[in-house]
Amino acid sequence: MTDKGGLLVTEPAQQYGPVIIRPEDAPDYLRKMDLDVTDIAAALEAGEIMAGNITRHHPTIAPGLTRWIHVVGALREKLASTHRWIGVDPQNRPVSRRIGHSYTLSTLGGTEATGVIDHPFGPFAARRKGKATAEAVHGIEPLITVEALRPVSHPTGSDFPPPGPWFLVYHRTDEGVRSEVSLPLGFDEDAGQFTGWKVRVVLDFWKPQTAGEQPLDIGGQDVDFRVVEVA
């Protein structure tokens, strides 16, 4: 058991480690999913700019929440503009779905292992995740949508990314942002954490072009919403 942000988490018990796609190979690999690494970098930059506007006078959750909101928004807008991805919101969780294929992409903040190629387990979520994330990883659709009813295809072969719920995971360090696009192995709903990764596509380290004041969410955090029904 390991303490991750105040949570006791069991380290992934994978017999074999995840497939690691190195940064130099990431553009070609992700292109097979119709993902462009320049769009991901632009989304990370959008999050950095907006998080940098937050001061200590804002609520303490503001820096991490602001970064997450703008990374999500910028990335989903970029993907939608290709007309190959569509934004969906199962249980109010913002997701992009590849039209005609079995890929989804969500965004979350990760722990310090994010983007570290030789880490034995890979990242955890910076904050515990809830039922909606668990259902996404386990392949449970809460609602039948028009997109879900359309026929999907998936290329076969070891060179193609496996279908499933992929995640852009990012972590803000003192110098910049480490990130990866990764496919989880499973999810422990009790711990609210991923149990490991099937594939980790590690991206180039993103560094701000100009040095400014350090954003207040260094160390990595996003936001977790608990939605309750009000009678």
Side-chain angles (χ1 to χ4, degrees):
M1 302 287 284
T2 303
D3 187 350
K4 297 293 181 183
L7 299 174
L8 288 179
V9 177
T10 302
E11 299 286 11
Q14 291 178 245
Q15 184 176 2
Y16 304 102
V19 174
I20 303 293
I21 308 298
R22 302 180 68 86
E24 59 267 27
D25 299 318
D28 287 341
Y29 188 85
L30 293 178
R31 199 173 292 120
K32 296 170 184 177
M33 299 169 63
D34 286 311
L35 291 175
D36 192 325
V37 294
T38 60
D39 289 343
I40 296 174
L44 294 176
E45 182 177 17
E48 178 76 10
I49 291 171
M50 300 309 294
N53 292 331
I54 300 301
T55 72
R56 298 190 183 279
H57 301 293
H58 290 86
T60 56
I61 66 168
L65 173 58
T66 299
R67 182 185 299 274
W68 178 79
I69 286 174
H70 289 278
V71 172
V72 169
L75 183 57
R76 293 220 295 175
E77 183 176 5
K78 290 279 189 182
L79 293 179
S81 70
T82 69
H83 304 291
R84 298 185 182 94
W85 292 80
I86 187 172
V88 294
D89 299 278
Q91 299 189 64
N92 294 324
R93 193 175 65 90
V95 179
S96 291
R97 186 187 302 278
R98 176 66 173 87
I99 299 172
H101 295 268
S102 300
Y103 295 125
T104 63
L105 183 65
S106 308
T107 300
L108 57 86
T111 55
E112 65 279 358
T114 304
V116 178
I117 294 175
D118 57 355
H119 193 276
F121 306 118
F124 288 96
R127 294 174 62 92
R128 66 173 294 152
K129 297 298 160 186
K131 183 177 180 180
T133 302
E135 290 181 347
V137 174
H138 296 150
I140 302 171
E141 287 286 350
L143 294 172
I144 299 297
T145 63
V146 172
E147 284 299 317
L149 294 174
R150 292 179 179 175
V152 298
S153 63
H154 186 75
T156 58
S158 59
D159 292 338
F160 284 92
W166 290 74
F167 289 82
L168 168 62
V169 189
Y170 63 83
H171 179 83
R172 182 51 159 98
T173 71
D174 288 337
E175 302 296 327
V177 180
R178 292 200 300 267
S179 62
E180 58 186 77
V181 177
S182 297
L183 178 66
L185 179 68
F187 190 85
D188 183 337
E189 193 166 351
D190 291 334
Q193 284 288 356
F194 300 98
T195 59
W197 302 94
K198 295 179 184 177
V199 183
R200 296 180 60 213
V201 184
V202 179
L203 304 178
D204 282 325
F205 183 74
W206 184 88
K207 189 172 183 177
Q209 294 182 356
T210 58
E213 288 192 21
Q214 298 279 14
L216 300 179
D217 64 332
I218 286 177
Q221 57 179 324
D222 62 358
V223 63
D224 186 33
F225 294 101
R226 180 174 298 174
V227 180
V228 296
E229 184 176 349
V230 179

